[in-house]
Amino acid sequence: MFRRTFSRFCAGEEKRVGTRTVFVGNHPVSETEAYIAQRFCDNRIVSSKYTLWNFLPKNLFEQFRRIANFYFLIIFLVQVTVDTPTSPVTSGLPLFFVITVTAIKQGYEDWLRHRADNEVNKSTVYIIENAKRVRKESEKIKVGDVVEVQADETFPCDLILLSSCTTDGTCYVTTASLDGESNCKTHYAVRDTIALCTAESIDTLRAAIECEQPQPDLYKFVGRINIYSDSLEAVARSLGPENLLLKGATLKNTKKIYGVAVYTGMETKMALNYQGKSQKRSAVEKSINAFLIVYLFILLTKAAVCTTLKYVWQSTPHNDEPWYNQKTQKERETFKVLKMFTDFLSFMVLFNFIIPVSMYVTVEMQKFLGSFFISWDKDFYDEEINEGALVNTSDLNEELGQVDYIFTDKTGTLTENTMEFIECCIDGHKYRGGTQEVDGLSQTDGPLTYFDKADKSREELFLRALCLCHTVEIKASDAVDGATESAELTYISSSPDEIALVKGAKKYGFTFLGNRNGHMRIENQRKEIEEYELLHTLNFDAVRRRMSVIVKTQRGDILLFCKGADSAVFPRVQNHEIELTKAHVERNAMDGYRTLCVAFKEIAPDDYERINRQLLEAKMALQDREEKMEKVFDDIETNMNLIGATAVEDKLQDQAAETIEALHAAGLKVWVLTGDKMETAKSTCYACRLFQTSTELLELTTKTIEESERKEDRLHELLIEYRKKLLHEFPKNTRSLKKAWTEHQEYGLIIDGSTLSLILNSSQDSSSNNYKSIFLQICMKCTAVLCCRMAPLQKAQNLCFILPQFLYQFFCGFSQQPLYDAAYLTMYNICFTSLPILAYSLLEQHINIDTLTSDPRLYMKITGNAMLQLGPFLYWTFLAAFEGTVFFFGTYFLFQTASLEENGKVYGNWTFGTIVFTVLVFTVTLKLALDTRFWTWINHFVIWGSLAFYVFFSFFWGGIIWPFLKQQRMYFVFTQMLSSVTTWLAIILLIFISLFPEILLIVLKNVKRRSARRNLSCRRASDSLSTRPSVRPLLLRTFSDESNIL
């Protein structure tokens, strides 16, 4: 149903756009007909993004789509074309650094993809050509080539199975790399080619395959094969998903198969599922972009204010053209509006560093290097498969700490997907246990409690149904010819339920012995071998929710056996047979067991001829095959007789309940999607603690809506009622809502597939067109949702960097005079402040990992992108404004004394700016040191090393270390500045004043933390969280990113 629902909303997915014809072995089907080779794509897989030739233009295009990069490019171009107060190097060099580092990172990741592609494309395969095995590279496979695949090898392209080493032409496949399912799936060859199991014989095959054009659905395939021979007319056989071997799947429990390539390279289903993916951007990046727009607005405001005030200042004649700075004739004749625009651009260039271009580099590097931490995490290492966590892309690492909803399947995720037969009922009589008696079934359900038995013939009919109605195969090494009293058979199936039912029948004396030449063989309680010719298999699908087989007995009787969900079987059997079995089914479901109902009917020979003809016609259709087969199946599976029902148990995974409870405590909402009966799913949800005993359940199911003519009206009433209850209970604020979960009544929602379809597809003329919005509001307020019967800050300091430059304009006549030297402007984001924040973002752990895993409620503090909301943003912005003001006016008051040295030498504007810059660099670096709680040698190295490098660079740039630089304007400025004791004291005092609010805040937090810790220790004994086993449902370590984002 998931696939159908997805297809319904994806226009064109269901439509077949033409067909293709594939000649097996690329041989003409007739010697008299000319063979024209068709053009198909080769078998190369390309997952890489760039090539050697398009890397530079394509990467540059993608990088300049970022608002900060594009902005700095514009600034650089303005500096090149307009006379601006700063050199183009000040913006060009940081931009070049950003572009280069990002390009190297993206190029490296793409090189890894190229390397992985080459491993696949250059792998060895064997092709059958001229009756010989020819060794080739995988990328050289062509459509139509016959490929040989050995056991445990991966299929190199999409193949149609022609034959295998087994006599019945079957093979077993795992598709874990495609859909995550680890169970073996059985695939079949058409009966006309199963004997062609050598290179010589397969080369004699003359056949053509007509099939649909490539499409991404892994579970759909429509085609037919026309087999030609010299003496007979062409034989046509239908092909479906059971005949298609997908690229990426692995051959298991089968020594060898032959298959013909139908889809290759980027046209394989695996490749089509990876194509056309949109670029994903994390919530952090989206927030950063939004905040950059705010800073861009601040920048434009500053530039506009300064431009306006400049012309107000120049309205006084002696300010506009002082005697010592007369204008040239050209300047006097310049158009005033153009001059104002030029001045506006100049001020924008002067203040442009408020937009931190290097922040993107830091974020990119944090993601890239952070992905290695995930790979190195020992807690993510699986000893059974000898593998750790694999990070396929580093773009969304931080999203691990922003998860709000978890969607999970029940079977195989919450449960182990290892089924055990528990009990069954036949004609309302219950059978439980494992003992067997030759003269029938007589089981106990507890001490001395016996149940009446069904008729002997009905018992045997039920057990035969379990042995015949399935797609189970026997492992080749276990194939037997005679009695199997002591033999241990290994059953293989894509569905563990079917294996459990076959084993359950074996407990009661009926043993499935496997298939041979189209006949199913079973051993009955009397050790007699029974054979049934398998005429047709009506495969299970998520819409019908049942499967059937049509078999022919040795006496010539034709029988249909059907098993499926009660909702799919009960409407198709006699009404008087339902009541007794229904009671057992509902009780088993309440106990948490998976239930299936079993039915049968006899088919008259005349009816079978009609059914056979309809099935063959539907199977051979290339257009709308699924719809036609579904209609035929629906006509066949009617007027059946109910025999009984089965109950199978699927145990919970280890620590499933503890993990679900931890996720709830962390504020995450868990949705369980399952195809099980509602009672079964509800019981499992209680067992895994998705629902607590105190949880009030809101049901939107077929039962609650009732079987009325206007279901939508009743549904609308329930939706309104539930919404009112939830809105009254919880506040509107999302973050308050999470906290309220532990303080108020918890609500859980149960909805079944039919009701969900009614909500999503309500009629247009209904008065309740707002179903979806109301349903969404309800879901957002519930702590858990069960869907059953479903079918498948680094740079906030940049403001305090550029604010003194803005304030300086009020004291220099708005002349656009830079406060900082160009070298400092260039190096600030690249060298002086970049490494400490990068190390902090990678290594900081504000809270110990043991504390995080023992108290999942801490996760709520960072979800919803909490650290990049408006509140923290404004806090850091105002703090930066305060510090920038302290830097500038503290230095300004220091300069009220004309001379800062005993010799009476007066300092100039470059000394003024250097003092401000020195206070700035030390303040932002020490501020990061104050916020660091988890110190490593790397933190010490980059923090103190950055400060030491700043001092070294200042001496170097001032001509002390390298006299070659003595001609530039910063010559000896830094050294002269440090020779003054007054300057030393002023720098230390200004750093302390700037950091004082932060120091005060840390002291208050520590006091509060100690108080909270004492309270926590007092109630630890009664706190349920303290006794919960430590689990790691998510990468809770990302809580340590709380501050580095800021």
Side-chain angles (χ1 to χ4, degrees):
M1 185 172 180
F2 283 121
R3 297 197 302 271
R4 290 181 174 273
T5 303
F6 176 79
S7 300
R8 186 180 299 121
F9 289 102
C10 294
E13 177 67 21
E14 288 293 331
K15 296 181 179 178
R16 310 298 180 204
V17 287
T19 60
R20 63 168 53 185
T21 301
V22 178
F23 295 98
V24 177
N26 289 311
H27 298 308
V29 295
S30 172
E31 295 181 358
T32 60
E33 297 181 8
Y35 171 67
I36 301 176
Q38 299 187 68
R39 289 184 176 272
F40 299 107
C41 73
D42 57 29
N43 199 40
R44 284 183 303 156
I45 289 294
V46 181
S47 64
S48 55
K49 195 173 184 179
Y50 306 106
T51 65
L52 185 63
W53 308 110
N54 71 7
F55 174 76
L56 190 61
K58 190 172 183 180
N59 186 265
L60 288 177
F61 173 76
E62 291 179 350
Q63 290 206 54
F64 283 118
R65 292 173 62 187
R66 283 181 166 168
I67 182 173
N69 290 353
F70 183 73
Y71 163 78
F72 266 83
L73 176 64
I74 297 299
I75 292 295
F76 175 73
L77 295 177
V78 169
Q79 287 179 296
V80 171
T81 57
V82 178
D83 183 19
T84 56
T86 58
S87 168
V89 176
T90 58
S91 59
L93 188 60
L95 179 63
F96 176 77
F97 173 76
V98 168
I99 296 297
T100 302
V101 172
T102 305
I104 292 174
K105 179 250 184 185
Q106 294 179 349
Y108 172 74
E109 290 186 341
D110 202 62
W111 174 78
L112 294 179
R113 288 189 284 266
H114 273 283
R115 188 174 67 175
D117 291 343
N118 283 333
E119 289 179 0
V120 174
N121 295 332
K122 301 298 182 182
S123 60
T124 300
V125 296
Y126 288 94
I127 310 297
I128 305 303
E129 291 183 355
N130 299 322
K132 294 180 181 179
R133 296 171 74 243
V134 179
R135 182 174 177 175
K136 288 187 176 183
E137 293 178 345
S138 176
E139 65 182 3
K140 295 183 179 178
I141 296 177
K142 303 187 300 292
V143 171
D145 284 347
V146 176
V147 183
E148 178 185 294
V149 181
Q150 304 282 346
D152 298 320
E153 290 183 351
T154 300
F155 300 117
C157 56
D158 290 349
L159 304 169
I160 292 295
L161 178 61
L162 296 177
S163 64
S164 72
C165 61
T166 61
T167 56
D168 57 356
T170 60
C171 71
Y172 308 105
V173 171
T174 58
T175 57
S177 61
L178 298 175
D179 55 15
E181 296 185 10
S182 58
N183 297 323
C184 283
K185 297 179 175 63
T186 307
H187 288 257
Y188 306 90
V190 295
R191 62 176 179 265
D192 305 86
T193 63
I194 59 176
L196 307 176
C197 52
T198 64
E200 293 77 11
S201 59
I202 202 73
D203 195 59
T204 63
L205 178 63
R206 296 296 180 266
I209 294 174
E210 297 177 79
C211 61
E212 62 186 356
Q213 293 290 0
Q215 54 103 347
D217 196 320
L218 298 176
Y219 307 97
K220 291 182 181 178
F221 177 75
V222 175
R224 60 172 172 245
I225 181 171
N226 300 300
I227 303 171
Y228 298 85
S229 61
D230 295 335
S231 57
L232 300 175
E233 293 183 358
V235 176
R237 303 293 182 198
S238 66
L239 298 174
E242 69 278 4
N243 309 113
L244 184 66
L245 306 174
L246 298 175
K247 177 180 176 63
T250 304
L251 183 65
K252 292 291 185 182
N253 301 321
T254 310
K255 292 182 180 179
K256 179 179 66 175
I257 66 98
Y258 291 106
V260 56
V262 288
Y263 305 129
T264 53
M266 301 308 292
E267 292 184 342
T268 59
K269 290 182 178 290
M270 182 186 77
L272 290 175
N273 275 277
Y274 289 116
Q275 287 183 340
K277 303 299 183 184
S278 59
Q279 185 178 6
K280 296 179 180 178
R281 297 187 182 274
S282 66
V284 169
E285 185 171 350
K286 293 176 182 176
S287 297
I288 290 176
N289 287 338
F291 295 151
L292 286 181
I293 293 176
V294 174
Y295 279 131
L296 181 60
F297 175 76
I298 295 175
L299 171 63
L300 295 174
T301 303
K302 284 183 175 181
V305 168
C306 287
T307 303
T308 303
L309 293 179
K310 175 179 181 177
Y311 283 91
V312 171
W313 168 268
Q314 292 180 350
S315 62
T316 304
H318 68 271
N319 288 337
D320 181 33
E321 192 173 354
W323 61 268
Y324 56 84
N325 190 17
Q326 296 290 317
K327 291 182 180 180
T328 64
Q329 187 63 28
K330 183 178 179 180
E331 289 177 332
R332 292 190 181 98
E333 295 175 354
T334 302
F335 190 48
K336 192 168 186 179
V337 174
L338 179 61
K339 185 66 172 64
M340 292 179 65
F341 179 70
T342 304
D343 287 334
F344 176 78
L345 293 180
S346 298
F347 279 117
M348 281 195 64
V349 169
L350 191 64
F351 303 143
N352 78 84
F353 278 88
I354 194 174
I355 306 290
V357 64
S358 64
M359 176 176 59
Y360 279 108
V361 171
T362 304
V363 172
E364 289 288 339
M365 294 303 296
Q366 195 277 338
K367 291 178 180 181
F368 177 65
L369 298 176
S371 64
F372 289 98
F373 282 73
I374 298 176
S375 302
W376 296 334
D377 197 322
K378 294 181 180 179
D379 290 325
F380 287 153
Y381 182 77
D382 191 327
E383 295 182 355
E384 292 184 5
I385 61 175
N386 195 28
E387 288 184 5
L390 177 64
V391 181
N392 290 320
T393 177
S394 60
D395 290 339
L396 299 176
N397 286 354
E398 65 270 30
E399 293 297 290
L400 290 174
Q402 304 299 323
V403 177
D404 287 322
Y405 294 88
I406 293 181
F407 293 82
T408 174
D409 188 17
K410 184 182 80 69
T411 305
T413 306
L414 297 181
T415 62
E416 294 180 349
N417 200 22
T418 53
M419 310 298 178
E420 181 183 356
F421 185 88
I422 300 298
E423 67 177 51
C424 62
C425 74
I426 304 173
D427 290 342
H429 300 281
K430 177 181 176 182
Y431 297 85
R432 185 183 182 95
T435 61
Q436 66 180 61
E437 297 181 2
V438 175
D439 61 347
L441 300 174
S442 178
Q443 307 302 326
T444 64
D445 188 27
L448 303 177
T449 304
Y450 291 87
F451 294 87
D452 295 334
K453 299 186 338 183
D455 185 75
K456 172 71 174 188
S457 61
R458 299 286 287 183
E459 291 178 348
E460 293 186 348
L461 181 65
F462 178 82
L463 294 175
R464 288 189 179 95
L466 296 187
C467 285
L468 295 173
C469 188
H470 56 74
T471 58
V472 175
E473 299 286 341
I474 294 180
K475 194 174 180 180
S477 58
D478 298 330
V480 293
D481 294 325
T484 60
E485 182 176 357
S486 61
E488 286 295 331
L489 301 176
T490 303
Y491 295 116
I492 299 174
S493 175
S494 60
S495 170
D497 297 78
E498 293 195 321
I499 296 178
L501 295 179
V502 170
K503 288 182 176 180
K506 184 179 179 181
K507 289 181 181 179
Y508 294 122
F510 275 73
T511 304
F512 173 62
L513 303 180
N515 297 317
R516 177 182 294 176
N517 299 326
H519 289 73
M520 304 181 74
R521 304 169 66 245
I522 64 175
E523 180 186 79
N524 61 27
Q525 294 172 331
R526 295 177 292 278
K527 305 302 180 184
E528 299 170 347
I529 304 299
E530 301 178 3
E531 287 198 2
Y532 297 83
E533 182 183 357
L534 180 60
L535 301 176
H536 290 285
T537 300
L538 282 58
N539 289 320
F540 176 89
D541 65 67
V543 178
R544 288 168 49 242
R545 304 197 56 77
R546 60 186 180 273
M547 77 152 294
S548 301
V549 294
I550 302 176
V551 297
K552 188 175 184 179
T553 67
Q554 292 172 312
R555 297 193 305 270
D557 298 330
I558 299 177
L559 302 176
L560 177 139
F561 291 104
C562 176
K563 73 172 187 288
D566 58 328
S567 59
V569 174
F570 283 166
R572 298 176 174 274
V573 300
Q574 311 301 320
N575 288 333
H576 66 276
E577 300 172 338
I578 296 176
E579 204 58 41
L580 292 176
T581 302
K582 185 177 181 180
H584 285 276
V585 170
E586 291 181 349
R587 178 177 50 78
N588 288 332
M590 293 295 292
D591 293 336
Y593 299 138
R594 297 163 63 94
T595 59
L596 287 174
C597 295
V598 181
F600 90 107
K601 78 172 181 178
E602 294 187 21
I603 301 177
D606 294 340
D607 291 336
Y608 176 72
E609 291 298 326
R610 174 181 55 82
I611 290 172
N612 183 55
R613 184 174 63 255
Q614 292 175 344
L615 284 172
L616 292 178
E617 290 176 358
K619 288 181 179 179
M620 295 301 295
L622 291 181
Q623 302 293 330
D624 303 322
R625 175 186 293 182
E626 291 146 1
E627 291 77 5
K628 293 176 181 178
M629 291 187 67
E630 186 176 334
K631 184 178 184 304
V632 176
F633 290 174
D634 190 66
D635 293 337
I636 296 173
E637 295 167 328
T638 56
N639 299 321
M640 297 184 293
N641 297 294
L642 185 64
I643 314 175
T646 62
V648 173
E649 181 182 24
D650 188 8
K651 295 182 179 178
L652 286 178
Q653 297 267 18
D654 291 339
Q655 289 196 329
E658 291 82 357
T659 301
I660 293 294
E661 191 174 14
L663 292 174
H664 272 305
L668 277 69
K669 300 180 182 180
V670 182
W671 286 47
V672 175
L673 313 175
T674 177
D676 286 352
K677 187 176 175 64
M678 186 186 74
E679 290 78 7
T680 304
K682 187 192 297 186
S683 177
T684 303
C685 289
Y686 275 114
C688 71
R689 302 179 194 169
L690 181 73
F691 296 152
Q692 304 290 335
T693 54
S694 59
T695 303
E696 182 176 341
L697 298 181
L698 311 176
E699 292 191 13
L700 290 173
T701 62
T702 305
K703 290 183 179 179
T704 56
I705 295 177
E706 302 173 348
E707 296 296 333
S708 61
E709 294 183 0
R710 295 295 299 172
K711 293 182 181 179
E712 293 185 354
D713 292 340
R714 175 58 179 161
L715 175 61
H716 185 250
E717 293 175 4
L718 286 174
L719 288 173
I720 296 299
E721 177 186 341
Y722 292 162
R723 183 177 66 171
K724 287 182 178 178
K725 178 181 292 187
L726 290 168
L727 291 179
H728 174 73
E729 185 72 24
F730 294 115
K732 293 184 178 180
N733 184 273
T734 304
R735 297 193 57 77
S736 300
L737 171 63
K738 292 184 178 180
K739 296 178 181 178
W741 287 351
T742 58
E743 303 171 2
H744 298 277
Q745 172 69 49
E746 288 190 356
Y747 289 91
L749 176 65
I750 300 178
I751 185 168
D752 58 16
S754 60
T755 309
L756 183 61
S757 298
L758 190 62
I759 291 175
L760 298 179
N761 303 299
S762 56
S763 60
Q764 295 298 320
D765 58 347
S766 172
S767 60
S768 50
N769 287 328
N770 57 344
Y771 281 173
K772 296 178 185 178
S773 61
I774 299 176
F775 176 65
L776 180 62
Q777 294 176 43
I778 294 174
C779 291
M780 292 178 66
K781 302 292 184 183
C782 290
T783 58
V785 178
L786 168 62
C787 301
C788 56
R789 286 301 188 206
M790 296 291 293
L793 270 126
Q794 170 202 8
K795 302 297 180 183
Q797 317 298 356
N798 271 66
L799 179 60
C800 66
F801 170 45
I802 210 65
L803 181 60
Q805 177 72 77
F806 172 71
L807 297 174
Y808 186 58
Q809 297 305 303
F810 288 84
F811 296 88
C812 69
F814 304 98
S815 62
Q816 302 159 9
Q817 168 65 34
L819 177 62
Y820 308 124
D821 181 69
Y824 287 152
L825 286 172
T826 304
M827 301 291 285
Y828 177 74
N829 281 320
I830 296 179
C831 299
F832 298 153
T833 61
S834 58
L835 288 181
I837 190 66
L838 179 61
Y840 178 90
S841 65
L842 290 171
L843 302 174
E844 176 61 10
Q845 296 182 27
H846 265 42
I847 298 179
N848 184 274
I849 188 64
D850 295 329
T851 304
L852 286 173
T853 54
S854 63
D855 190 357
R857 292 174 298 184
L858 294 169
Y859 184 82
M860 286 190 286
K861 293 180 179 292
I862 63 166
T863 55
N865 205 21
M867 296 298 105
L868 277 179
Q869 297 298 324
L870 183 61
F873 171 72
L874 292 177
Y875 166 76
W876 288 96
T877 299
F878 285 120
L879 186 62
F882 164 77
E883 292 173 352
T885 304
V886 170
F887 299 160
F888 180 81
F889 285 105
T891 308
Y892 176 77
F893 289 127
L894 174 68
F895 270 67
Q896 295 304 302
T897 301
S899 175
L900 298 180
E901 294 188 25
E902 294 179 357
N903 59 11
K905 187 174 182 178
V906 179
Y907 284 169
N909 65 307
W910 294 118
T911 305
F912 182 90
T914 303
I915 294 175
V916 173
F917 193 83
T918 302
V919 176
L920 165 70
V921 171
F922 274 79
T923 298
V924 297
T925 305
L926 292 177
K927 180 174 176 53
L928 191 65
L930 282 175
D931 202 43
T932 301
R933 301 180 193 173
F934 187 76
W935 284 91
T936 66
W937 69 267
I938 299 178
N939 296 92
H940 284 288
F941 178 77
V942 297
I943 288 178
W944 313 124
S946 294
L947 295 178
F949 177 75
Y950 166 69
V951 175
F952 170 81
F953 177 82
S954 296
F955 280 118
F956 171 82
W957 191 242
I960 302 301
I961 297 177
W962 194 15
F964 176 75
L965 296 172
K966 64 182 180 180
Q967 300 300 327
Q968 53 95 31
R969 59 192 177 191
M970 293 297 292
Y971 178 66
F972 233 72
V973 169
F974 192 75
T975 307
Q976 192 85 12
M977 179 189 77
L978 295 182
S979 64
S980 170
V981 176
T982 306
T983 304
W984 275 91
L985 293 175
I987 290 175
I988 296 173
L989 180 62
L990 290 177
I991 293 174
F992 175 77
I993 294 175
S994 301
L995 294 177
F996 180 74
E998 187 76 6
I999 297 173
L1000 184 62
L1001 189 63
I1002 291 175
V1003 171
L1004 294 176
K1005 282 185 176 180
N1006 286 337
V1007 172
K1008 184 178 180 181
R1009 188 179 296 112
R1010 291 193 188 97
S1011 177
R1013 193 174 297 158
R1014 286 195 298 268
N1015 295 336
L1016 179 64
S1017 61
C1018 292
R1019 63 175 189 269
R1020 184 174 293 275
S1022 60
D1023 192 348
S1024 61
L1025 291 172
S1026 63
T1027 60
R1028 180 187 298 118
S1030 179
V1031 293
R1032 301 188 67 186
L1034 288 174
L1035 188 63
L1036 294 179
R1037 179 179 298 174
T1038 51
F1039 179 78
S1040 63
D1041 291 345
E1042 172 182 340
S1043 297
N1044 70 317
I1045 296 175
L1046 302 176

